Amino acid sequence: MNNSQGRILEDMIMGAARIYEQEGKLVLHKESEPFRVVKNLDRARGRAEVQFTAKAQPDFIGCLKGGRLIAFEAKYTQKDHIKQAVVTPTQAAMLERYHKAGAAAFVCCGIGTGWELSYFMVPWKAWRDMKESYGHKYASADDLAMYEIKADTVVRFLEYKNPKTSRAENNPFCLVTL
């Protein structure tokens, strides 16, 4: 269930990306997992045995208006909290590299189901330092409240709900004219 919900989250992110691109705010694309087909199982149905060929990039990479690179991973859980470990060591290493190079690096996550579903755009540094910030290696929707983003038919990952977060100096979106 989390996997299919994760795909829906990615589709909702791309819906917002199309809107933002039309508004001239960013260009974003979904990274594909690098793989090669090892064996065709049912070509008519698009089924194959594959082998991943390289370490994965973050799910989304793009450029914000003004030239700053943005890279983020998308994760979803039906539980009331999300574990830091849902970002794999390889994904974490790539987000850290982007962060150190000056990119806006994030984890965009959905927590919950139904009316209790909320979305968050968590800066990589906050995600990476989760244990120090919250005392454990997971975060609840309450823990991440300052990073909650707007969502309707799309996940508006550039739009924090909390006006204080939107204006915070450490908010990378404040560095560009949106």
Side-chain angles (χ1 to χ4, degrees):
M1 180 65 88
N2 284 350
N3 195 9
S4 62
Q5 285 297 119
R7 282 194 294 276
I8 292 169
L9 170 59
E10 291 174 353
D11 289 344
M12 291 173 72
I13 288 168
M14 285 309 299
R18 285 188 289 278
I19 293 167
Y20 293 145
E21 186 166 356
Q22 289 172 349
E23 295 172 349
K25 294 179 180 178
L26 95 158
V27 175
L28 188 78
H29 70 272
K30 169 78 173 92
E31 287 290 312
S32 299
E33 294 287 338
F35 68 90
R36 69 180 180 88
V37 175
V38 176
K39 180 179 173 184
N40 279 319
L41 300 176
D42 186 345
R43 181 166 239 157
R45 290 187 171 170
R47 297 179 189 253
E49 183 177 315
V50 300
Q51 179 179 33
F52 292 102
T53 59
K55 294 182 178 179
Q57 289 288 322
D59 288 328
F60 298 94
I61 298 176
C63 184
L64 294 162
K65 181 178 180 180
R68 188 166 188 200
L69 185 129
I70 183 170
F72 60 96
E73 189 63 34
K75 298 294 181 185
Y76 170 80
T77 184
Q78 291 183 335
K79 297 181 180 175
D80 63 354
H81 64 276
I82 191 160
K83 294 180 180 181
Q84 184 183 40
V86 297
V87 174
T88 68
T90 301
Q91 292 165 339
M94 288 305 299
L95 287 169
E96 183 67 19
R97 288 174 64 194
Y98 280 115
H99 171 73
K100 284 183 176 178
F106 295 87
V107 176
C108 182
C109 60
I111 300 175
T113 60
W115 297 110
E116 301 299 316
L117 177 57
S118 299
Y119 297 97
F120 307 88
M121 191 68 160
V122 184
W124 173 246
K125 185 179 182 315
W127 188 274
R128 180 194 67 200
D129 299 341
M130 197 180 281
K131 172 81 169 154
E132 293 77 16
S133 298
Y134 309 121
H136 36 75
K137 292 185 175 186
Y138 62 88
S140 67
D142 288 341
D143 292 332
L144 299 177
M146 72 179 297
Y147 304 118
E148 189 171 1
I149 52 178
K150 297 176 182 179
D152 41 47
T153 57
V154 297
V155 173
R156 298 180 179 276
F157 58 92
L158 294 182
E159 301 171 50
Y160 285 112
K161 280 187 168 183
N162 184 335
K164 289 181 182 177
T165 308
S166 295
R167 292 188 303 268
E169 288 181 23
N170 63 352
N171 175 0
F173 305 133
C174 290
L175 304 177
V176 297
T177 306
L178 298 176

